[in-house]
Short mmCIF file of all heavy atoms in Angstrom, two decimals:
data_model
loop_
_atom_site.label_atom_id
_atom_site.label_comp_id
_atom_site.label_asym_id
_atom_site.label_seq_id
_atom_site.Cartn_x
_atom_site.Cartn_y
_atom_site.Cartn_z
N GLU A 1 78.59 -127.47 -188.14
CA GLU A 1 79.39 -126.37 -188.68
C GLU A 1 80.82 -126.82 -188.95
O GLU A 1 81.42 -126.45 -189.97
CB GLU A 1 79.38 -125.18 -187.72
CG GLU A 1 78.05 -124.44 -187.68
CD GLU A 1 77.61 -123.96 -189.07
OE1 GLU A 1 78.44 -123.35 -189.78
OE2 GLU A 1 76.45 -124.22 -189.45
N THR A 2 81.39 -127.60 -188.03
CA THR A 2 82.74 -128.13 -188.23
C THR A 2 82.80 -129.01 -189.47
O THR A 2 83.71 -128.90 -190.30
CB THR A 2 83.21 -128.95 -187.01
OG1 THR A 2 83.28 -128.08 -185.87
CG2 THR A 2 84.58 -129.57 -187.24
N TYR A 3 81.80 -129.89 -189.61
CA TYR A 3 81.75 -130.76 -190.79
C TYR A 3 81.69 -129.96 -192.08
O TYR A 3 82.40 -130.25 -193.05
CB TYR A 3 80.56 -131.71 -190.69
CG TYR A 3 80.57 -132.78 -191.75
CD1 TYR A 3 81.25 -133.98 -191.54
CD2 TYR A 3 79.94 -132.59 -192.98
CE1 TYR A 3 81.29 -134.96 -192.52
CE2 TYR A 3 79.98 -133.55 -193.96
CZ TYR A 3 80.66 -134.73 -193.73
OH TYR A 3 80.72 -135.69 -194.71
N LYS A 4 80.84 -128.93 -192.09
CA LYS A 4 80.72 -128.09 -193.28
C LYS A 4 82.05 -127.42 -193.62
O LYS A 4 82.42 -127.30 -194.79
CB LYS A 4 79.66 -127.02 -193.05
CG LYS A 4 78.22 -127.52 -193.07
CD LYS A 4 77.25 -126.37 -192.82
CE LYS A 4 75.81 -126.80 -192.83
NZ LYS A 4 74.90 -125.66 -192.52
N LYS A 5 82.78 -126.98 -192.59
CA LYS A 5 84.06 -126.31 -192.82
C LYS A 5 85.08 -127.26 -193.44
O LYS A 5 85.85 -126.88 -194.32
CB LYS A 5 84.60 -125.74 -191.52
CG LYS A 5 83.83 -124.53 -191.00
CD LYS A 5 84.35 -124.07 -189.65
CE LYS A 5 83.53 -122.91 -189.10
NZ LYS A 5 83.99 -122.49 -187.76
N TYR A 6 85.09 -128.51 -192.98
CA TYR A 6 86.00 -129.49 -193.58
C TYR A 6 85.57 -129.84 -195.01
O TYR A 6 86.41 -130.02 -195.89
CB TYR A 6 86.07 -130.76 -192.72
CG TYR A 6 87.11 -130.67 -191.63
CD1 TYR A 6 86.78 -130.22 -190.36
CD2 TYR A 6 88.44 -131.02 -191.87
CE1 TYR A 6 87.73 -130.13 -189.35
CE2 TYR A 6 89.39 -130.95 -190.87
CZ TYR A 6 89.04 -130.50 -189.62
OH TYR A 6 89.99 -130.41 -188.63
N TYR A 7 84.27 -129.94 -195.21
CA TYR A 7 83.75 -130.22 -196.55
C TYR A 7 84.19 -129.11 -197.52
O TYR A 7 84.69 -129.38 -198.62
CB TYR A 7 82.22 -130.31 -196.50
CG TYR A 7 81.57 -130.69 -197.81
CD1 TYR A 7 81.32 -132.03 -198.12
CD2 TYR A 7 81.18 -129.72 -198.73
CE1 TYR A 7 80.72 -132.37 -199.31
CE2 TYR A 7 80.57 -130.06 -199.92
CZ TYR A 7 80.34 -131.39 -200.21
OH TYR A 7 79.76 -131.74 -201.40
N CYS A 8 84.00 -127.86 -197.09
CA CYS A 8 84.40 -126.73 -197.93
C CYS A 8 85.92 -126.65 -198.06
O CYS A 8 86.44 -126.22 -199.09
CB CYS A 8 83.86 -125.42 -197.36
SG CYS A 8 82.06 -125.28 -197.49
N GLY A 9 86.63 -127.10 -197.03
CA GLY A 9 88.09 -127.14 -197.11
C GLY A 9 88.59 -128.12 -198.15
O GLY A 9 89.56 -127.85 -198.87
N LEU A 10 87.92 -129.27 -198.24
CA LEU A 10 88.26 -130.24 -199.29
C LEU A 10 88.03 -129.64 -200.66
O LEU A 10 88.87 -129.79 -201.57
CB LEU A 10 87.42 -131.50 -199.13
CG LEU A 10 88.03 -132.71 -198.42
CD1 LEU A 10 89.13 -133.32 -199.25
CD2 LEU A 10 88.50 -132.38 -197.04
N CYS A 11 86.91 -128.97 -200.83
CA CYS A 11 86.60 -128.33 -202.11
C CYS A 11 87.66 -127.26 -202.44
O CYS A 11 88.14 -127.18 -203.57
CB CYS A 11 85.21 -127.70 -202.04
SG CYS A 11 84.61 -127.05 -203.61
N HIS A 12 88.02 -126.48 -201.44
CA HIS A 12 89.05 -125.44 -201.60
C HIS A 12 90.37 -126.06 -202.07
O HIS A 12 91.03 -125.55 -202.99
CB HIS A 12 89.25 -124.72 -200.26
CG HIS A 12 90.42 -123.79 -200.23
ND1 HIS A 12 90.36 -122.49 -200.70
CD2 HIS A 12 91.70 -123.98 -199.78
CE1 HIS A 12 91.54 -121.92 -200.54
NE2 HIS A 12 92.37 -122.79 -200.00
N ASP A 13 90.77 -127.18 -201.45
CA ASP A 13 92.05 -127.81 -201.79
C ASP A 13 92.01 -128.53 -203.14
O ASP A 13 93.02 -128.60 -203.84
CB ASP A 13 92.47 -128.78 -200.68
CG ASP A 13 92.90 -128.04 -199.42
OD1 ASP A 13 93.37 -126.90 -199.52
OD2 ASP A 13 92.75 -128.60 -198.32
N LEU A 14 90.85 -129.05 -203.49
CA LEU A 14 90.72 -129.70 -204.80
C LEU A 14 90.94 -128.71 -205.94
O LEU A 14 91.46 -129.08 -207.00
CB LEU A 14 89.35 -130.35 -204.93
CG LEU A 14 89.17 -131.71 -204.24
CD1 LEU A 14 87.70 -132.07 -204.12
CD2 LEU A 14 89.94 -132.81 -204.97
N LYS A 15 90.56 -127.45 -205.72
CA LYS A 15 90.71 -126.43 -206.76
C LYS A 15 92.16 -126.17 -207.12
O LYS A 15 92.43 -125.57 -208.17
CB LYS A 15 90.02 -125.13 -206.32
CG LYS A 15 88.50 -125.20 -206.43
CD LYS A 15 87.83 -123.88 -206.14
CE LYS A 15 87.85 -123.54 -204.67
NZ LYS A 15 86.99 -122.38 -204.34
N ARG A 16 93.09 -126.63 -206.28
CA ARG A 16 94.52 -126.50 -206.62
C ARG A 16 94.84 -127.25 -207.91
O ARG A 16 95.79 -126.92 -208.62
CB ARG A 16 95.40 -127.06 -205.50
CG ARG A 16 95.35 -126.29 -204.19
CD ARG A 16 96.25 -126.94 -203.17
NE ARG A 16 95.89 -128.32 -202.96
CZ ARG A 16 96.75 -129.30 -202.75
NH1 ARG A 16 98.04 -129.06 -202.77
NH2 ARG A 16 96.35 -130.53 -202.55
N TYR A 17 94.05 -128.29 -208.19
CA TYR A 17 94.29 -129.10 -209.38
C TYR A 17 93.51 -128.60 -210.59
O TYR A 17 93.65 -129.15 -211.69
CB TYR A 17 93.91 -130.56 -209.09
CG TYR A 17 94.70 -131.16 -207.96
CD1 TYR A 17 94.10 -131.42 -206.72
CD2 TYR A 17 96.04 -131.47 -208.09
CE1 TYR A 17 94.82 -131.97 -205.68
CE2 TYR A 17 96.77 -132.02 -207.06
CZ TYR A 17 96.14 -132.27 -205.85
OH TYR A 17 96.86 -132.81 -204.80
N GLY A 18 92.68 -127.60 -210.38
CA GLY A 18 91.84 -127.07 -211.46
C GLY A 18 90.38 -127.16 -211.07
O GLY A 18 89.99 -127.99 -210.24
N GLY A 19 89.56 -126.31 -211.66
CA GLY A 19 88.15 -126.27 -211.31
C GLY A 19 87.44 -127.60 -211.51
O GLY A 19 86.52 -127.93 -210.76
N PHE A 20 87.88 -128.39 -212.48
CA PHE A 20 87.24 -129.67 -212.76
C PHE A 20 87.33 -130.62 -211.56
O PHE A 20 86.47 -131.49 -211.37
CB PHE A 20 87.91 -130.34 -213.98
CG PHE A 20 89.20 -131.02 -213.65
CD1 PHE A 20 89.25 -132.40 -213.40
CD2 PHE A 20 90.39 -130.31 -213.57
CE1 PHE A 20 90.44 -133.03 -213.08
CE2 PHE A 20 91.59 -130.92 -213.26
CZ PHE A 20 91.61 -132.29 -213.02
N ALA A 21 88.39 -130.45 -210.76
CA ALA A 21 88.66 -131.39 -209.68
C ALA A 21 87.62 -131.35 -208.58
O ALA A 21 87.45 -132.33 -207.83
CB ALA A 21 90.05 -131.12 -209.09
N THR A 22 86.87 -130.25 -208.45
CA THR A 22 85.87 -130.17 -207.39
C THR A 22 84.75 -131.19 -207.60
O THR A 22 84.04 -131.54 -206.65
CB THR A 22 85.25 -128.75 -207.33
OG1 THR A 22 84.66 -128.42 -208.58
CG2 THR A 22 86.32 -127.72 -206.98
N HIS A 23 84.62 -131.70 -208.82
CA HIS A 23 83.61 -132.73 -209.08
C HIS A 23 83.98 -134.06 -208.43
O HIS A 23 83.15 -134.98 -208.38
CB HIS A 23 83.42 -132.92 -210.58
CG HIS A 23 82.87 -131.71 -211.27
ND1 HIS A 23 81.56 -131.28 -211.12
CD2 HIS A 23 83.45 -130.80 -212.10
CE1 HIS A 23 81.36 -130.19 -211.83
NE2 HIS A 23 82.48 -129.87 -212.43
N ALA A 24 85.22 -134.17 -207.94
CA ALA A 24 85.65 -135.40 -207.27
C ALA A 24 85.29 -135.42 -205.80
O ALA A 24 85.44 -136.44 -205.13
CB ALA A 24 87.18 -135.55 -207.42
#
């Protein structure tokens, strides 16, 4: 669960650069 939360947190923060960034 902790790992999933960090994974989703990275996705959340990538969106600051635009939706395209989540593909990174």
Side-chain angles (χ1 to χ4, degrees):
E1 288 304 312
T2 297
Y3 189 87
K4 287 179 180 177
K5 289 176 183 178
Y6 273 93
Y7 184 91
C8 291
L10 261 292
C11 187
H12 171 84
D13 289 332
L14 281 165
K15 284 186 286 191
R16 293 179 303 142
Y17 300 108
F20 80 97
T22 59
H23 295 289

